[in-house]
Amino acid sequence: MLMAVSGFLMLATIMYFLFRGRTIPVVVFITVPVLAAFLAGFSVEEVVSFIQFGIKKTSKMAVLFIFSVTFFGIMSDAGMFDGLVNKLVSKAGTNVVAVAVATAIIGIFSHLDGATVTTVLVTVPAMLPVYQKLNIRPHLLLLIVGCGMGVMNLLPWGGPVARAAVVLGTDPTTLWRHMIPLQIMGIFATLGLAVVMAIHEKKYHNAGRIDLVVNEASGELEAKAENEEALKLKRYDRTWVNLGMTVILLGVLLADIFPTYFTFMIGVCAALLVNYPDVQEQKRRMKAHAPAALDVASVMLAAGIMVGILGKSGMLEAMTVPLLEVIPGPIAHFLHIIMGIIALPLGTMLGTDSYFYGLLPLAIKVGENYGITGLTMAIAMTVGKNLSLLISPLVPATYLGIGLTNIELKDHIRYSFFGLWAVGLIMFAFAWVIGMF
């Protein structure tokens, strides 16, 4: 009982501080879980082992973030995206809706490999300059990418589906076949969300207004002059070389030839040597991107402490038991409906492993006592969890996304939460209408 109370207090405290912005995530993720572990009665040695476990799980990802953020930062300095940005802006003009729909399509197709980090790395650096040019808040970019990612992660090789299949003791492809109609509906819902939110951004936040100044001598509109220092860093004569390097890097990532973090380490070296052969300029480029890179990595390492304590202490299992036991009998008959509706909020707070290996088996066990099949429960709980991927503080790609767009975690969650939940509920309602429940 003490472990369950400690766990609930820990999650409530963490979410309070994150949403209220009382302190930075690093402080919350390090101090609160450690205090909760001691409150639950664990010894110093046990807490240390939990911390080591968690750090081990996230350290490679932290290295990946340092070098991936630095790589795309260097490419942006060199002007690799400038040509693409100008072409997209000229095609779309000030059509914010067209840009949002294009983002949704790119996000959906780029997640065919099921890798969340790769999807963020493919879509965000390429589209972010377009959003900046059109004065669209980057929050919309992350929302659309996260939604497309969540829908496409229902594929058999997606991590959540694979985990749910393990719990059910079935093949992931078999589980996916049941969810194909939901995935199709999710794609349309993602496009719809992009349109609605783009109209909202245009109406209430001046999206689509390109910053222009009037040339008093000629009376013509001219784009604001770029910073002279930034112009000195541009390497437009090497744009195709940089694009080639980026394509090769992404190809190596998709082929899974080397560890992801090592691929980006090599990528940073190549980017520096090709664009800035001068040693002093190489040092300046690394220092310029160090704050963003280290900020993302430090949060990831700190989150590892929370993941380790939740995953290794047994605290999560202790928390789920009373949650399911307090459900009254009449309501328990609709447990799959309840779990499906609250799947996204739960998925935001719980890690993927904790959710599918901790909560889902218990929910299935309870549901079977009331005539709810394991397959029904798994489908109901998987949809919402998938859509929470890019707003969960426990998912590494979340920190990569907010790091690349320079958005606060709490602001990102506030902006995206209800839009993603709405898409999840639409998919859930559709499943109900076609008789899946």
Side-chain angles (χ1 to χ4, degrees), residues 111 113-121 145 149 153 389-390 395-397 400:
H111 198 65
D113 66 338
T116 54
V117 171
T118 303
T119 301
V120 173
L121 292 173
V145 171
M149 179 188 299
N153 217 37
L389 282 175
L390 207 59
V395 174
L400 181 58

Side-chain angles (χ1 to χ4, degrees), residues 5-304:
V5 171
S6 300
F8 285 124
L9 284 175
M10 178 182 73
L11 286 181
T13 304
I14 288 173
M15 298 309 291
Y16 171 80
F17 279 111
L18 287 178
F19 277 103
R20 299 291 294 181
R22 298 293 185 183
T23 184
I24 60 175
V26 169
V27 175
V28 178
F29 289 147
I30 293 174
T31 58
V32 177
V34 172
L35 291 174
F38 284 127
L39 178 63
F42 291 104
S43 66
V44 174
E45 291 77 13
E46 288 173 318
V47 173
V48 169
S49 68
F50 301 154
I51 292 172
Q52 290 174 335
F53 173 80
I55 294 295
K56 186 177 181 180
K57 288 194 69 173
T58 58
S59 58
K60 292 180 181 178
M61 196 62 68
V63 176
L64 162 65
F65 288 168
I66 290 174
F67 285 93
S68 62
V69 169
T70 304
F71 174 81
F72 283 108
I74 294 171
M75 289 303 187
S76 180
D77 291 339
M80 185 187 76
F81 300 115
D82 290 2
L84 173 64
V85 171
N86 293 333
K87 180 168 281 189
L88 283 174
V89 171
S90 65
K91 290 287 185 182
T94 57
N95 192 335
V96 178
V97 175
V99 172
V101 171
T103 303
I105 295 171
I106 293 170
I108 288 169
F109 279 97
S110 66
H111 198 65
L112 285 172
D113 66 338
T116 54
V117 171
T118 303
T119 301
V120 173
L121 292 173
V122 168
T123 56
V124 175
M127 293 302 297
L128 182 59
V130 180
Y131 278 66
Q132 292 170 335
K133 282 272 189 178
L134 293 178
N135 197 38
I136 308 172
R137 293 187 297 173
H139 303 68
L140 178 61
L141 171 58
L142 287 189
L143 167 61
I144 297 174
V145 171
C147 194
M149 179 188 299
V151 170
M152 293 307 293
N153 217 37
L154 291 173
L155 290 167
W157 49 87
V161 173
R163 289 173 174 84
V166 169
V167 173
L168 290 173
T170 187
D171 184 75
T173 305
T174 303
L175 177 58
W176 171 62
R177 289 196 186 104
H178 287 91
M179 294 192 288
I180 289 176
L182 299 185
Q183 194 169 31
I184 295 172
M185 172 56 70
I187 291 173
F188 284 108
T190 300
L191 294 171
L193 177 68
V195 172
V196 170
M197 293 304 295
I199 293 173
H200 181 271
E201 286 292 309
K202 188 173 182 178
K203 186 175 181 180
Y204 295 104
H205 297 282
N206 294 319
R209 177 182 58 80
I210 302 178
D211 289 328
L212 299 170
V213 296
V214 178
N215 185 320
E216 294 182 358
S218 62
E220 297 177 353
L221 291 176
E222 295 181 350
K224 286 183 178 179
E226 292 186 70
N227 184 280
E228 290 186 7
E229 290 298 320
L231 282 174
K232 291 179 181 178
L233 297 173
K234 300 302 180 183
R235 300 292 186 268
Y236 292 128
D237 58 330
R238 298 166 212 178
T239 296
W240 285 106
V241 177
N242 288 329
L243 282 171
M245 281 196 299
T246 304
V247 169
I248 292 171
L249 183 145
L250 295 176
V252 172
L253 283 178
L254 295 174
D256 198 21
I257 299 173
F258 299 112
T260 309
Y261 61 89
F262 177 71
T263 302
F264 273 102
M265 293 171 83
I266 295 297
V268 168
C269 296
L272 287 173
L273 290 172
V274 169
N275 294 288
Y276 308 105
D278 179 71
V279 175
Q280 294 305 315
E281 188 57 55
Q282 289 177 357
K283 290 180 180 180
R284 284 192 287 269
R285 290 305 87 221
M286 291 298 291
K287 288 180 179 179
H289 300 292
L294 291 176
D295 182 55
V296 175
S298 63
V299 173
M300 190 65 254
L301 290 171

